Amino acid sequence: MSRVCLFPGTFDPVTLGHTDIINRALPLFDKIIVGIGLNPAKAPMFSVEQRMEWFREIYKNESKIEVHAYDGLTVNFCKTIGANFILRGIRFVSDFEYEKTIADANRTLDKSIETVFLTVEPRFTSVASTIVRDILRHHGDVSSFLPAEVIRSLKQ
């Protein structure tokens, strides 16, 4: 059985924290599917197409990475794509408490899907999409928070 992992999130925008988790998870899985969740309760700054394009550009030379958009329950999307793992990044203890609650709910819904937590490198703990969006709105410098591919596209 191959180890297929879903890394779900809104990724609005894609940050160095996101790519840190993906890069360190690569040796653990046969395939990582980045799942951009479509959440009607959120009004994203960037289109889902833009966010997908960023991941495709960042990982254009990595055959183990795919990018898809999805809506509905994450465990249902896992079934659709054949993922038996969900990958989540943890920055702080408070993240763990929140993420564990979701992992417990997902395990109740489908016992065959295991959630794997990776802690973010310490230098990326302050990198949150919410903060990056706020800096962008106020025309601040986000270069230390975002991958080069994202920065290039923002300058266009």
Side-chain angles (χ1 to χ4, degrees):
M1 182 160 108
S2 77
R3 293 169 313 198
V4 177
C5 173
L6 173 66
F7 184 38
T10 49
F11 308 109
D12 185 38
V14 179
T15 69
L16 291 171
H18 298 135
T19 57
D20 172 55
I21 294 294
I22 292 170
N23 295 343
R24 289 188 301 110
L26 273 168
L28 304 176
F29 300 103
D30 301 314
K31 183 191 292 186
I32 297 175
I33 297 170
V34 176
I36 299 177
L38 305 174
N39 184 342
K42 290 185 178 179
M45 180 177 263
F46 301 99
S47 71
V48 69
E49 295 79 13
Q50 174 64 79
R51 290 175 276 159
M52 290 175 75
E53 183 54 39
W54 281 330
F55 278 114
R56 288 187 183 121
E57 179 65 21
I58 293 164
Y59 292 104
K60 65 179 177 242
N61 298 318
E62 180 48 70
S63 62
K64 288 169 62 172
I65 302 276
E66 289 181 17
V67 187
H68 298 277
Y70 76 99
D71 60 3
L73 292 175
T74 298
V75 290
N76 290 347
F77 185 59
C78 284
K79 288 177 195 152
T80 302
I81 60 173
N84 38 358
F85 298 95
I86 295 172
L87 174 64
R88 297 299 293 160
I90 303 286
R91 290 175 302 163
F92 304 107
V93 172
S94 56
D95 287 353
F96 178 75
E97 292 170 357
Y98 172 75
E99 293 293 345
K100 184 185 180 313
T101 305
I102 295 170
D104 290 346
N106 286 337
R107 191 177 309 105
T108 301
L109 293 170
D110 189 331
K111 296 203 180 325
S112 70
I113 299 169
E114 194 61 59
T115 301
V116 175
F117 299 112
L118 288 183
T119 57
V120 176
E121 285 282 337
R123 63 194 164 136
F124 299 128
T125 54
S126 65
V127 180
S129 294
T130 308
I131 293 167
V132 172
R133 286 193 304 273
D134 199 44
I135 295 168
L136 280 169
R137 278 189 202 97
H138 295 93
H139 311 290
D141 179 11
V142 291
S143 58
S144 54
F145 303 106
L146 303 177
E149 295 84 353
V150 176
I151 302 229
R152 266 198 304 279
S153 82
L154 292 175
K155 287 181 178 172
Q156 292 173 357

